[in-house]
Amino acid sequence: MTATPLRFQQGDTLSIRDDQGQVALWSVIDRKRRGYLLQPHGGGDARTWSDDEIDVVYGARRLTHHPCNAEGLPKAIAEALEKTWEFWPQEVRREAERRETYVRMVDAVRDEHPTLMGAYAAAAETVFDAHHDQWQREDNELAVRLDAERRRSTNSASRRSKVLNRPNPYTVRAWYGVWSRHGRDIRLLIPHYHRRGARQARYAREDGDRPDTYKLMRQAVEAWYLGMPRRRKNYAYRRYVDLCREQGVPAVSDRTFRVFIRDNYTERQEYERRFGRRAAWLKFGIFERRSLPERPLEEVEVDHCLIDLVVVHTESGRPLGRPWLTALIDRATRMIVGAHLSFEAPSYASLQRALGHAIWKKDLSGVDGIDHDWPCHGVPEWLICDNGKEFRSQSLQTSGRMLDIGIVNLPVKMPWLKGAVERVFQTIGVQVFSHEEGTTLSRTLDLYDPVSRARLSLEEVRQRILKWIVDDYHHNVHDTLKCTPYERWRELTALYPVRPVPDFDHIVRLTGETFFRRISNIGIQYEGLLYADREKLEPLLARRGGLEKDWEIRYDPYDLGEIWLLDDDCGEWLMIPCVDQSVSRGVSKYQHKIHRALAKRSLPKSAPVTIADLEASRTLAEQTAGELQARKSKVGNTVRAARYESDGAYFTPIEGQKAPSNPTATKPLAEAGPSQEQAPASPPPVVDLDADIAALVAQWSEPKQ
């Protein structure tokens, strides 16, 4: 294919880069047949480049055209051509455009005059008479605008625009000469205003350690402006003046002092020294935007949020305070895959309920007022969380290993790294809570008291959040996805099926809380409770090292009636019931903590807490919690009472679980699904250890036959 010839002028410079990246400069000597005669800069033989050769390097982006002779250019002209046209200020570009009008007029009238000087004079007179009024008006408008900007930034005095005068013909000749000899580029007509002014320092600079005004200025800036604690520039300037007076050195003006800071420190350096490296990084850093994951449940964000709504007790109507919402959201589909709402403070207990709700199938068939299903379930690949205690706990790490979930703890103070769940919390606050009585989003607290105006109970709030998630949020077009989260979930799960839970019936063992204990001769003790099963524990103690080993144990934070012990030799979990079911079955970890505290308060110091004491304190705690809800009391006390009454209910019913009487409440995890190791409905028989020991001693005392 024949190349289309390119047009170059004699004296132009071509910068050609070879395959190895080396750049060579060539001067255009003359146009030859189907090519150009080029002379290399720095000496060498000229050679002819064909149009095809030039077209190849031009198409490969290895040719740069300079419409001037780059060899031996004056410094001022080379500096003007190095910078783009947009680099120069507006008033400088306007002056260059006017100069171009004069030099182009010279080309237009030069044939009408016997000498070039006559053409220069005619061009100066013609252009000035034609454009004087318009240019003067433009200068006045520009002066007014620039003056307003200067006064806003520096409080300087106003300045008037200069009066336009007709240029001298010799001035037009100078413009035309530079413009015509070096490629007729408009940048050659840029006025060199930036080169005006003194180039020497006003005050002498001293060598060595002898002080001068510039050394003292830098010292004052470093010590009293950029140092800690933060101070203002006028304070640093006053200290600088005092320092100059002590050293007998002349001091510069306040304006020069500020110009020194501006010219010697970038804005980021100044901000970093005054506010810290992290603050400067957040303010001036450029952050890369990540693309969405390809697979559903590939990356799941989780976090807690104190909702912006005060709820009341179901029966008494007393304000209880603001509950906590824990949510998990899938990054790929923006579906909310699981949630938990209760007065339980952010802990592993609330995280465990939300995680269990996320990986189980939801059953909304018995919930009234819901028009769509909630199809999200499955085990996530990565769990994105912050550095809360529950997210760094051994329990979550163990659950991650058992379920093959990668736990990612994000850097501190960077909530935008899990912006999807943060945005969901904000959207719920605006679209759900801001319209309800008792919202805390109102800023006029003197006119609106959310505590006294609260009307909704915890179950009603759960219903509203559930309705918003399932019917509104999942079925509205998401700005990032350009479709609804529900549609994206169906689309991606058809391509990438979700990972199921290995064992649905024993989900507590996969997400329960972890602790390590040794097995004693009476069983396993935890928080004053005894767990024993002779048939299961004796074989473990009989193993070598069984007495000194710390066994891994898991339990449901909302039901201390049983624990699960890992038999690492067989790879099985053994269910060990609590000996005292009356103070453990259906009792949460928080409730048991309250029971022990009440029992210790009524006993002498260092006295052991008995089962009878725990039973009495449990009765007292239940009675006290009911009284706090019924009578007028502080909100803080009612919140603690509501947390005490929390039964670990799931956010929605779980498929395969027996439906409770309240469709929005569920049973504890330990009662979900049939299991061969499920705890019996009635309390297990109490092991009479004293009788066993007496029988064993009697057996040893029998005479040998």
Side-chain angles (χ1 to χ4, degrees):
M1 183 176 64
T2 304
T4 300
L6 302 177
R7 185 179 67 179
F8 303 120
Q9 300 292 337
Q10 184 177 359
D12 289 355
T13 299
L14 302 182
S15 174
I16 301 177
R17 187 177 70 254
D18 58 18
D19 296 335
Q20 286 73 34
Q22 300 295 326
V23 178
L25 297 179
W26 299 78
S27 295
V28 179
I29 303 300
D30 196 6
R31 171 69 178 172
K32 296 296 183 181
R33 185 179 182 183
R34 297 180 182 177
Y36 285 93
L37 180 63
L38 303 182
Q39 175 75 37
H41 285 200
D45 297 334
R47 83 176 188 86
T48 301
W49 285 66
S50 67
D51 290 335
D52 291 337
E53 291 178 309
I54 294 177
D55 185 72
V56 169
V57 295
Y58 178 71
R61 301 180 181 179
R62 293 191 285 115
L63 183 146
T64 303
H65 174 223
H66 304 279
C68 62
N69 184 4
E71 187 176 21
L73 275 178
K75 181 179 179 181
I77 297 176
E79 183 184 44
L81 294 176
E82 286 175 355
K83 297 179 174 59
T84 62
W85 171 251
E86 294 78 13
F87 164 80
W88 302 100
Q90 182 179 359
E91 59 269 24
V92 173
R93 286 182 290 170
R94 177 170 296 183
E95 180 63 25
E97 292 170 352
R98 294 173 181 177
R99 293 181 180 184
E100 186 183 31
T101 306
Y102 283 103
V103 297
R104 291 196 179 277
M105 182 60 70
V106 172
D107 280 341
V109 302
R110 63 182 300 176
D111 295 337
E112 301 175 3
H113 298 82
T115 62
L116 281 176
M117 185 56 67
Y120 299 146
E125 182 177 359
T126 303
V127 173
F128 183 80
D129 293 341
H131 299 281
H132 171 266
D133 295 339
Q134 177 186 352
W135 288 351
Q136 187 67 61
R137 187 165 53 253
E138 292 175 354
D139 285 350
N140 294 337
E141 295 174 355
L142 179 62
V144 171
R145 186 169 67 253
L146 294 179
D147 181 60
E149 294 177 357
R150 290 193 190 97
R151 282 186 293 177
R152 283 197 302 267
S153 59
T154 63
N155 295 323
S156 60
S158 60
R159 302 177 183 179
R160 291 186 177 182
S161 62
K162 63 180 181 179
V163 178
L164 286 178
N165 296 315
R166 181 183 293 111
N168 191 285
Y170 289 96
T171 303
V172 177
R173 184 181 69 173
W175 295 343
Y176 185 82
V178 174
W179 178 71
S180 60
R181 285 195 306 269
H182 300 290
R184 295 174 173 257
D185 194 314
I186 191 174
R187 291 174 296 176
L188 298 169
L189 301 175
I190 290 289
H192 296 170
Y193 297 156
H194 60 286
R195 302 179 64 85
R196 293 175 177 175
R199 296 300 170 195
Q200 300 295 330
R202 181 177 181 181
Y203 299 101
R205 294 184 180 271
E206 301 292 342
D207 297 332
D209 297 334
R210 290 182 298 179
D212 59 42
T213 187
Y214 302 104
K215 293 179 182 177
L216 297 181
M217 200 180 329
R218 184 175 293 277
Q219 179 181 343
V221 171
E222 293 283 342
W224 294 304
Y225 178 65
L226 299 181
M228 287 293 176
R230 291 193 299 270
R231 303 178 180 92
R232 301 175 67 87
K233 291 179 182 178
N234 55 1
Y235 175 83
Y237 175 72
R238 291 197 302 268
R239 298 301 300 266
Y240 157 73
V241 173
D242 296 340
L243 197 60
C244 290
R245 188 181 300 111
E246 295 174 1
Q247 299 291 337
V249 174
V252 300
S253 65
D254 179 74
R255 178 176 175 80
T256 305
F257 184 81
R258 294 173 182 270
V259 171
F260 176 84
I261 297 176
R262 183 196 65 190
D263 294 343
N264 289 272
Y265 301 92
T266 65
E267 190 171 355
R268 176 165 183 167
Q269 289 173 339
E270 179 181 346
Y271 198 87
E272 181 176 332
R273 296 286 299 277
R274 289 175 58 79
F275 297 94
R277 183 178 301 176
R278 173 185 172 82
W281 173 68
L282 294 177
K283 185 177 180 65
F284 298 97
I286 302 297
F287 304 101
E288 181 180 358
R289 192 171 187 175
R290 295 183 69 253
S291 57
L292 294 176
E294 296 181 357
R295 301 183 299 276
L297 299 183
E298 181 179 354
E299 298 176 7
V300 175
E301 299 179 7
V302 58
D303 202 3
H304 310 282
C305 173
L306 185 64
I307 71 171
D308 302 312
L309 192 71
V310 178
V311 303
V312 299
H313 192 265
T314 306
E315 299 177 357
S316 65
R318 296 293 305 158
L320 300 180
R322 299 160 61 187
W324 287 88
L325 175 65
T326 305
L328 293 93
I329 184 170
D330 177 36
R331 282 182 171 178
T333 63
R334 288 299 195 269
M335 289 283 281
I336 300 176
V337 296
H340 180 66
L341 180 70
S342 71
F343 284 97
E344 180 71 35
S347 62
Y348 186 77
S350 56
L351 174 62
Q352 184 245 16
R353 280 299 188 266
L355 184 60
H357 182 258
I359 63 180
W360 278 31
K361 297 183 66 176
K362 291 92 176 156
D363 182 11
L364 305 183
S365 58
V367 181
D368 298 332
I370 303 299
D371 300 329
H372 300 87
D373 62 336
W374 195 346
C376 301
H377 67 90
V379 180
E381 300 180 25
W382 296 93
L383 196 63
I384 313 299
C385 49
D386 55 27
N387 280 266
K389 184 178 180 181
E390 65 276 11
F391 298 121
R392 294 182 287 104
S393 63
Q394 179 66 37
S395 301
L396 184 59
Q397 296 296 328
T398 303
S399 300
R401 288 191 295 269
M402 296 175 64
L403 293 170
D404 192 19
I405 302 175
I407 310 299
V408 180
N409 296 110
L410 299 174
V412 297
K413 298 181 180 180
M414 293 187 183
W416 58 88
L417 296 181
K418 49 179 178 61
V421 66
E422 298 285 353
R423 180 65 179 179
V424 164
F425 288 147
Q426 181 181 1
T427 306
I428 292 178
V430 173
Q431 298 186 5
V432 180
F433 305 140
S434 63
H435 307 125
E436 301 293 346
E437 288 284 5
T439 178
T440 60
L441 292 175
S442 177
R443 301 301 181 190
T444 57
L445 297 181
D446 55 337
L447 300 176
Y448 185 88
D449 183 10
V451 176
S452 61
R453 299 288 290 271
R455 296 293 182 270
L456 299 180
S457 66
L458 185 65
E459 296 301 330
E460 292 172 336
V461 173
R462 181 184 287 115
Q463 282 281 10
R464 280 164 169 75
I465 298 177
L466 176 62
K467 174 71 174 178
W468 178 83
I469 292 176
V470 176
D471 291 340
D472 294 342
Y473 174 74
H474 285 173
H475 293 273
N476 283 332
V477 176
H478 196 280
D479 293 338
T480 302
L481 303 177
K482 308 304 179 185
C483 64
T484 66
Y486 189 89
E487 293 172 349
R488 180 56 60 89
W489 175 269
R490 291 302 188 187
E491 175 187 351
L492 292 186
T493 52
L495 298 175
Y496 308 99
V498 298
R499 189 157 52 101
V501 180
D503 189 353
F504 237 52
D505 295 335
H506 302 147
I507 193 64
V508 176
R509 299 184 321 196
L510 302 177
T511 61
E513 196 161 352
T514 303
F515 68 95
F516 293 87
R517 284 292 187 275
R518 292 187 179 183
I519 303 176
S520 66
N521 294 106
I522 60 175
I524 301 172
Q525 291 182 328
Y526 177 71
E527 296 292 338
L529 299 176
L530 178 63
Y531 297 86
D533 190 320
R534 175 187 298 176
E535 296 181 357
K536 297 177 181 178
L537 296 182
E538 278 190 352
L540 300 180
L541 283 179
R543 296 176 185 173
R544 188 170 300 278
L547 288 172
E548 292 80 19
K549 181 177 180 179
D550 290 328
W551 299 85
E552 182 175 353
I553 301 171
R554 310 207 82 178
Y555 69 97
D556 182 3
Y558 285 98
D559 188 357
L560 300 182
E562 57 198 14
I563 61 174
W564 288 265
L565 183 145
L566 177 61
D567 184 355
D568 46 9
D569 285 354
C570 302
E572 296 180 354
W573 288 90
L574 306 178
M575 192 275 290
I576 311 297
C578 181
V579 172
D580 303 297
Q581 292 286 303
S582 60
V583 294
S584 61
R585 175 60 62 186
V587 176
S588 68
K589 181 181 178 181
Y590 179 76
Q591 291 172 340
H592 183 67
K593 178 181 177 181
I594 298 298
H595 298 165
R596 284 177 58 85
L598 291 176
K600 289 182 179 180
R601 185 181 302 176
S602 60
L603 294 175
K605 188 176 181 181
S606 70
V609 178
T610 64
I611 300 301
D613 297 329
L614 289 177
E615 291 177 347
S617 60
R618 179 179 183 180
T619 303
L620 177 61
E622 293 174 351
Q623 180 181 357
T624 304
E627 293 177 354
L628 288 175
Q629 307 294 2
R631 61 181 172 85
K632 186 175 182 180
S633 57
K634 295 182 179 180
V635 175
N637 294 334
T638 57
V639 170
R640 286 188 288 271
R643 182 182 179 184
Y644 177 85
E645 292 181 342
S646 177
D647 58 355
Y650 289 115
F651 193 74
T652 64
I654 300 300
E655 189 167 307
Q657 183 181 18
K658 183 179 179 181
S661 57
N662 188 346
T664 59
T666 57
K667 292 184 179 180
L669 262 170
E671 302 179 11
S675 172
Q676 295 179 356
E677 297 182 3
Q678 194 73 22
S682 59
V686 178
V687 180
D688 191 354
L689 296 178
D690 295 335
D692 293 339
I693 294 175
L696 186 61
V697 172
Q699 183 180 359
W700 289 343
S701 303
E702 291 180 0
K704 295 183 180 179
Q705 302 236 344

